[in-house]
Amino acid sequence: MSALGREVQARLDEGRPELAWRAAAEGLQHDALQVREHARRLLHDLTPLLPLAAWTEAHETLAVRLHIPQRPRPLGPGVARFPAVFGRLGRLVTVTVSISNTPQDALPAGHEGLRQAFDAARSALGDPTLRFSASFDPAEGWDGASAGLALGLAAVSAAHLDLDLSLIVATGGLNAAGDVMTVGQIAEKQGLCREAAPRATLLTPRDAALRLPLGAHPVGTLHEALRWAGHGGDDPVRRLILVRGAQAEGRWEDAAALAEPLLADLRLSADQLGELLTVCLAAANHSADAARQATLAASLTATLDELDGAALAQAVGNLTVKAIDALDLHGAAKALSLTPPSAVKPRHRVHLLGPAALLHTLSGEHHEALHLREQALKIANDDERPRAMGDLADALMRAGHAEEARSQAQAALQLATKATHRQDYQRRTSSFLRLHLARALALLSRRDEALAELEDVRLLPGLDPALRGKLLHAELTQDLAAAQGLHQSFGASGLLRALTLRTLARLGDGQATQELLALPVFAGLSVEEAARRLPY
């Protein structure tokens, strides 16, 4: 093991992942390239181990720069932390509580004296029949009395699953009446909390004869502590980090669901609001929700002056996609002109090259679109590379290179199965890649192989790529009834209507052919050229 690896492991063994992260971050400044690369890998691995309360803006800035997709996760129901001053540095101890079906509470040996904390939790919950089970990590090496308040909070959280304690650190004893009792070494615990969990609120006994620093708050009862815990769980920065984590994994709907309640939060800065609006618009684009797209696009456009770098590129990219989904060539060109790909740094350009390629596709400029997809693949990072290869396969098909597209999609599928920090994202990517592969096989008259690739795609939940998989399946099986059913279910208006009309027209439906070619963007074209230009 290298010197850097030993230093990182030593800090982890001491229960100080934030110090392990710091050591790895310092390794980025080393003269040797090998050490710097090792530091980058370590930071990827360490990020999920950090407490959410240790994740500051400095951590976030470095993670974005290094393209680290993961973020610290919330503690979850029934989990709390308290500071323990022992060993060389001290550490945060994690207490995990669950509801038990046993007749008695269960506490680890040597900590039975904490049972009164469970009595206080039952009183706070108003349910004397509840029984709890607790465990600690580490299990020993700390004074049991100081765990009482954290234990009581964790017990209430186990019963109230929406109470998140990720941004709370608590120290203090707790008696059966719910009174918070004094414990020792408060000053040392305050210092530990500032180092190990700088974003946390430290709850301490009210009668601690010390001046409390910023970020600490005295409480006299469990009820008072619960009020503060609820407030800390509403921290907008914590929720913004959760949004970014869901977005990085390609879970657009989950990211938008987390982002929506934050849009009216006055504590957010203008650039943070723009970031959240971009996430919500991306989800609306993925679901082809035209009404929601229009509302979000108007709000996002008003915040563009506050954005820069990757945030600006992502915002403009999604505004362009919104216009393309409306089959609005002029609107898409206008959106893209706000920040053309050449106007942003190369590492941010990938967010604009894709939408620009879609615009060229809709305009019938297929070789120009192919060139942009090739550029995007050159600058894609490792996690994005399979999807960029899939987009290139799509462009190759439209430019008339079906066999090369098949090979590209097949290689992308193989790459997507390799180990990655974004496994959920890669699983979703694989579904799109199978759709591209099936389309290429269909163009090569390899119908049975194409249908085999579609089996998993068309059975997926959600809209995309499942709907496109079902439409292609109907085309390959000449199932006009299935295509008509999909048109009735999804073809009310907008992009989804165009997609279903394309399949019906390919199956010989005369009325669908007239309606497809009556769309202004396809005026004067043949059915196949209109189908080729429809960019999905």
Side-chain angles (χ1 to χ4, degrees):
M1 183 181 295
S2 68
L4 178 59
R6 289 193 296 272
E7 171 70 12
V8 167
Q9 188 59 54
R11 301 293 78 79
L12 290 175
D13 291 344
E14 291 173 331
R16 298 296 297 272
E18 83 289 351
L19 296 181
W21 166 283
R22 184 188 304 172
E26 290 172 354
L28 295 173
Q29 309 303 318
H30 200 279
D31 292 337
L33 176 61
Q34 184 177 6
V35 175
R36 295 198 300 272
E37 288 301 316
H38 187 204
R40 291 171 68 94
R41 292 194 300 272
L42 286 171
L43 289 170
H44 274 269
D45 294 337
L46 288 168
T47 296
L49 304 181
L50 284 178
L52 192 60
W55 191 257
T56 66
E57 282 300 319
H59 291 81
E60 182 68 14
T61 299
L62 183 56
V64 170
R65 180 165 68 86
L66 298 180
H67 304 292
I68 299 175
Q70 293 178 304
R71 294 296 184 270
R73 294 185 175 275
L75 288 177
V79 185
R81 288 192 171 108
F82 62 93
V85 182
F86 67 96
R88 187 171 70 91
L89 295 170
R91 63 173 294 170
L92 298 182
V93 178
T94 302
V95 53
T96 303
V97 176
S98 58
I99 305 296
S100 173
N101 294 322
T102 58
Q104 300 292 330
D105 296 322
L107 280 161
H111 299 301
E112 294 85 352
L114 292 170
R115 198 174 304 278
Q116 290 188 69
F118 286 155
D119 294 330
R122 278 187 282 268
S123 177
L125 292 165
D127 187 350
T129 66
L130 285 173
R131 295 294 178 267
F132 301 101
S133 176
S135 62
F136 298 93
D137 181 22
E140 55 188 24
W142 43 271
D143 175 19
S146 64
L149 180 56
L151 185 63
L153 288 168
V156 174
S157 174
H160 280 259
L161 302 183
D162 59 345
L163 176 61
D164 180 72
L165 300 169
S166 296
L167 296 179
I168 296 293
V169 176
T171 185
L174 192 63
N175 65 20
D179 299 318
V180 179
M181 315 299 290
T182 300
V183 293
Q185 297 182 295
I186 294 291
E188 291 81 358
K189 291 171 182 176
Q190 290 171 357
L192 171 60
C193 190
R194 283 196 300 271
E195 291 180 0
R199 288 185 52 224
T201 295
L202 173 64
L203 301 182
T204 69
R206 182 175 295 282
D207 63 351
L210 288 168
R211 181 182 177 184
L212 295 181
L214 185 67
H217 188 78
V219 292
T221 66
L222 177 59
H223 279 286
E224 190 177 352
L226 286 167
R227 286 196 295 272
W228 271 90
H231 175 78
D234 191 39
D235 174 56
V237 175
R238 179 187 70 86
R239 293 173 66 182
L240 182 60
I241 290 170
L242 296 180
V243 170
R244 289 168 177 164
Q247 181 187 22
E249 294 173 2
R251 295 186 288 111
W252 302 104
E253 295 81 3
D254 292 345
L258 290 165
E260 288 277 358
L262 283 173
L263 294 179
D265 196 317
L266 298 178
R267 293 171 290 179
L268 290 173
S269 62
D271 61 318
Q272 289 172 332
L273 177 62
E275 182 182 351
L276 291 170
L277 286 167
T278 300
V279 168
C280 292
L281 179 57
N285 287 345
H286 277 80
S287 62
D289 184 341
R292 190 68 180 138
Q293 284 174 304
T295 300
L296 289 165
S299 298
L300 179 57
T301 300
T303 71
L304 289 180
D305 289 343
E306 306 294 337
L307 304 178
D308 58 17
L312 179 60
Q314 289 175 341
V316 171
N318 277 285
L319 288 169
T320 305
V321 170
K322 176 263 177 189
I324 289 169
D325 286 358
L327 304 180
D328 179 3
L329 279 173
H330 175 73
K334 182 179 179 181
L336 193 61
S337 70
L338 296 171
T339 306
S342 59
V344 301
K345 293 180 179 179
R347 67 176 182 272
H348 304 321
R349 202 166 291 165
V350 68
H351 302 299
L352 294 170
L353 290 174
L358 293 176
L359 177 56
H360 281 297
T361 298
L362 188 59
S363 303
E365 299 163 344
H366 301 297
H367 285 89
E368 288 83 351
L370 176 58
H371 176 63
L372 291 175
R373 294 300 191 186
E374 289 171 339
Q375 287 186 46
L377 178 57
K378 288 179 181 178
I379 63 175
N381 61 40
D382 290 346
D383 288 339
E384 296 285 354
R385 191 170 182 80
R387 187 160 292 201
M389 292 171 69
D391 291 336
L392 178 58
D394 173 85
L396 285 165
M397 280 182 269
R398 296 176 192 277
H401 307 295
E403 176 55 39
E404 191 175 345
R406 183 206 63 76
S407 177
Q408 190 74 217
Q410 189 70 62
L413 262 173
Q414 293 174 353
L415 185 61
T417 62
K418 293 185 177 180
T420 172
H421 292 283
R422 301 171 71 184
Q423 294 182 6
D424 288 344
Y425 179 75
Q426 296 296 46
R427 279 193 289 269
R428 290 172 175 81
T429 294
S430 295
S431 302
F432 287 93
L433 296 177
R434 291 196 180 282
L435 176 63
H436 292 320
L437 179 57
R439 289 171 53 214
L441 290 167
L443 288 173
L444 294 168
S445 300
R446 294 162 63 172
R447 174 181 173 276
D448 291 343
E449 293 175 71
L451 288 172
E453 293 296 340
L454 285 177
E455 280 305 307
D456 291 336
V457 176
R458 67 192 186 94
L459 296 177
L460 289 169
L463 186 65
D464 197 35
L467 175 59
R468 286 191 286 161
K470 292 172 183 176
L471 289 170
L472 180 56
H473 189 274
E475 292 177 25
L476 292 174
T477 58
Q478 295 291 296
D479 191 341
L480 182 61
Q484 290 171 335
L486 292 169
H487 182 64
Q488 291 172 0
S489 299
F490 299 102
S493 61
L495 175 65
L496 299 185
R497 181 173 183 79
L499 289 172
T500 55
L501 286 174
R502 176 175 65 182
T503 292
L504 289 170
R506 281 174 163 170
L507 291 174
D509 186 311
Q511 181 178 347
T513 299
Q514 291 180 3
E515 289 186 44
L516 180 66
L517 299 183
L519 294 171
V521 72
F522 299 139
L525 301 179
S526 67
V527 170
E528 274 313 308
E529 179 55 25
R532 187 162 71 134
R533 292 190 184 190
L534 190 58
Y536 298 104

